[in-house]
Structure formats: structure tokens, C-alpha cells
Amino acid sequence: MSSAPAPGAMLRDNLWTNNPIFMQILGICSALAVTNLLTNTMIMTIAVVGVMGMTNLTVSLIKSLIPRKVRMMVQTLIIASYVIVVDIILRAYLPDISRALGPYVGLIITNCIIMGRAEAFAQQNPPLLSVWDGVTSAFGYMGVLLAIALIRELLGFGSLFGYQVMPEIFEPWIIMVMPPSAFFVLGIVIWIGKAIMEREGAPA
Amino acid sequence: MNKQNFGYTILFTAVVSFVFVLALAVVNEVTADQIQFNREVRLVRSVLDAMGVEFEDDEHARELFNDVQQVEQNGLSLYRFARNEEVLYAKQYSGAGLWGPIRGHLGIRADGERTLGLTILEHDETPGLGGRIDEPWFQEQFRNKRLVDGRIRMGSRDGQGDFVEDSGEFDGITGATSTSQAMERIINNHLEEITRALGGAS
């Protein structure tokens, strides 16, 4: 790295112009699985923010010690450790949410965004900047997931964060609760995102 | 030292693995009691709920649970709670739902004429459809429900729940017929087992 990237530009990049989900199309497995209720999505994405920040920090701190051959194995070990810590904490202090998320917490390990940022950013950059990169990328991910969850919960259950907001006569769209609807909603969200970007004149 | 050579790679991998596994072991150890406690409280609440016993909070529930005995009745393991003049029973049930096992507790009066309540601890039914069996209204239908010919049938009302205690029926979930039928089968299988075990005793 010749010069360190500016934090402000990184923020904009990770949240919008290079958003992990709708520009890089990474991490969509979880975008499909845990987006039918806002509360679950919120907890899960907060966990991802924590795991990504810590992973990037750790990888960046020990990057000069890691032998190249086992680089990715070590990254996976680090990610897995933090995810297991999150899982244990949820199980101990938020048992209801832990049950609702079920196996999806463990599946954060396989979220490609985390390893992608560890490999692409934290391996070459100083610790604090890497934390910033991890956290902002995770916020980009969180934003898109919450948008999808908002649409799915509102139409699928008629509620937001568990509070009924639609009138009694509203008939919930059962398809919105099922995983396939996430494909449609994700596609529409990407479409809208790119359309706005094109209007802004950015190369979409 | 050359960081790319074989010896260093092995050493580094071993040290990193050791450090992270140690850290995990510590976190696990520190929270083990809390996790165990959560599990117990959940079981206690479920048993009492199934018996229709009211409690204020976790502590109160654990206190009440001290008087609940685990008994073997004609080879069937049951929870037994003698309170005032009543004797309440509950059984841990499990059975096949549409996608996976459904587990919980089923409470029944000592005379076997009415259920006391139903709880669901675990299920893998479709969220928003069969998954609605874990909503309170579904489970409340089994409060003090009279058994007709030793059974509770699935009726088809409006999908809002059947809260008539003497109807001997519960309302299935709209759009989740398979899960509702699975619940009917599971509940009746277990009711039969329990009434047989209790009946044999008298």
C-alpha cells in the first residue's frame, strides 16, 4: 500500500458505492435466511459488526507474523473464534434471541464479507484503519439487510420489530415470510440502489 | 527468522490455535453456569405452564418447581404436582412435525378428563405458517380442554382459536394444515399414553 485510504472515502465506499451486498453481491446467503423479522436481522447484523471489527483488528495486528501459506486458515480460525464467542454470549444472556437465530449465528463464520475484508484490507493496512473498514463494511451489509427485512416483515407479518402496524383487514403475504421472497426483494433493492447510483453519475 | 519456512509455519499455527482455543475455553467456562441456568428455567417454566400453574418470575417458578415430583407411573415418566386438593400431571412429549421434531410439555388433570395446558419448546415448522404453533393463542386453546372419547380433535373454525373449554376441539392454523394435523396426532398419542398410565394406577 503506497498511501493509506482516507476514512471518509472508505465510509462512503463501504456503505454505498462499493456496498458488500449490492455491489459485490457477497454475503447474500444470510441476506436470504435471516431477513423475515427485523429484530432477528438487527441482532444478527450487530453481531456481524462486532465480529468484522474484531477480526480485522486481529488480522491486522498479527499480519506480519502470519506465514503466507497458512494465511487463510488463520483468518478462518480468528473469524470462527469470534463467532463462537458471540454465540456463547447470546446463549448466556439473550437466550430467546439465540433460539430464534438458531444455526444462523454459527453461519456468520461462512459470511464471505468477513473473510473478504480480512484478506483484501486487513492484511495490508494498519489496525485502526482495518477496524474502521470492517465496521463500515458491516454497516453497509446491515443497511441492506434491514431494508429487506423491513419490506418482508411489513408485508409478511404486518408488523415492524414485532409491533403490529398494518390494519386488521390487511392480509399478510405468506410468500414474504418464506425464503424465496428474499430473492425478489434483494433483486429489487439492488435494482433501486443501482438506479440511484446511475442517476448520481457514478459508474454502476 | 524466515517466516515462510516449514518449522515456523507449524510453530505459528500451533501457537495461534492454542491461544484462540484457550480463549474460547475460558469464555465457555465463565458462561457455562448461566447457560445451564437458562436451560433449567426454560424447562421449569414450560412444565408449570403446561400444568396451568401461574408464577410471577423465574425465581418464583423455581420455588414452585421444588414441589414438583418426577414420578414413574406404569413405566411412564411424568411430572406430578400436588397442590391444594388437586393433583396435576405433565408429560414431556415429542413427535414428528412437518419438517422436524416438535417437543414440549402437555399437562393433564389427574382424572384424565381435561388437559391443563400445552407448551412448545422446540419445533422447525415454517415461520409464519406452521411456526405459529409457538404463538400464545395456539397454545392457550389447550387450557382446561375437555377430552371427548379421550381425544382432542382438530376442528375447523376461523383460524382464530377455539377457546370453548368443553368443545373437545382445537382450531388448526390457516395455511398450515400439515403442522396442525401433526399436532393433533402428537397430542392424542401422548394423551392416550398418559391416560392409560394414570388409569392403570387407580
Side-chain angles (χ1 to χ4, degrees), chain A residues 15 24-25 45 108 157 184 199:
Chain A
L15 286 185
Q24 302 173 38
I25 321 287
T45 49
I108 295 175
F157 292 97
F184 306 130
R199 192 161 300 171

Side-chain angles (χ1 to χ4, degrees), chain B residues 59-76:
Chain B
E59 273 314 303
H60 187 210
R62 278 159 63 89
E63 221 169 89
L64 286 170
F65 195 73
N66 284 335
D67 294 328
V68 175
Q69 302 162 291
Q70 261 188 300
V71 293
E72 286 279 326
Q73 192 88 331
N74 293 325
L76 197 67

Side-chain angles (χ1 to χ4, degrees), chain B residues 35-54:
Chain B
I35 291 174
Q36 182 60 29
F37 176 83
N38 292 345
R39 203 172 291 149
E40 271 173 39
V41 164
R42 193 148 180 270
L43 175 90
V44 164
R45 294 181 79 110
S46 172
V47 171
L48 292 178
D49 253 347
M51 288 176 170
V53 176
E54 287 179 9

Side-chain angles (χ1 to χ4, degrees), chain A residues 6-195:
Chain A
M10 279 166 61
L11 177 69
R12 187 180 158 73
D13 223 33
N14 287 335
L15 286 185
W16 182 241
T17 42
N18 202 14
N19 183 290
I21 294 193
F22 64 69
M23 288 308 292
Q24 302 173 38
I25 321 287
L26 282 180
I28 61 166
C29 359
S30 45
L32 303 180
V34 289
T35 51
N36 59 15
L37 286 170
L38 274 166
T39 313
N40 294 353
T41 312
M42 194 77 190
I43 301 283
M44 150 102 177
T45 49
I46 289 172
V48 172
V49 171
V51 169
M52 275 191 85
M54 291 306 292
T55 300
N56 270 8
L57 175 68
T58 314
V59 169
S60 179
L61 281 174
I62 62 172
K63 63 179 183 287
S64 58
L65 297 173
I66 308 176
R68 268 174 28 81
K69 269 178 244 159
V70 292
R71 192 180 72 241
M72 298 191 109
M73 195 209 82
V74 171
Q75 289 165 1
T76 312
L77 177 76
I78 294 169
I79 296 168
S81 303
Y82 285 122
V83 171
I84 294 170
V85 168
V86 168
D87 192 30
I88 292 176
I89 290 174
L90 285 180
R91 233 183 285 173
Y93 304 107
L94 297 167
D96 292 330
I97 284 165
S98 169
R99 257 194 309 284
L101 291 176
Y104 295 115
V105 177
L107 285 175
I108 295 175
I109 297 170
T110 62
N111 189 324
C112 355
I113 300 172
I114 305 179
M115 194 154 179
R117 295 321 295 177
E119 174 70 7
F121 197 92
Q123 279 285 347
Q124 286 106 32
N125 288 287
L128 281 180
L129 212 56
S130 298
V131 174
W132 179 244
D133 178 74
V135 170
T136 50
S137 290
F139 277 127
Y141 167 80
M142 178 192 259
V144 175
L145 255 68
L146 285 178
I148 296 174
L150 183 96
I151 299 170
R152 291 184 68 191
E153 185 176 344
L154 188 66
L155 297 178
F157 292 97
S159 59
L160 291 176
F161 287 104
Y163 293 102
Q164 209 63 35
V165 290
M166 294 299 247
E168 274 289 301
I169 53 157
F170 172 75
E171 186 65 40
W173 303 11
I174 283 158
I175 180 78
M176 279 297 168
V177 174
M178 318 275 280
S181 72
F183 273 112
F184 306 130
V185 179
L186 176 63
I188 293 168
V189 168
I190 292 174
W191 179 17
I192 295 172
K194 294 220 174 179

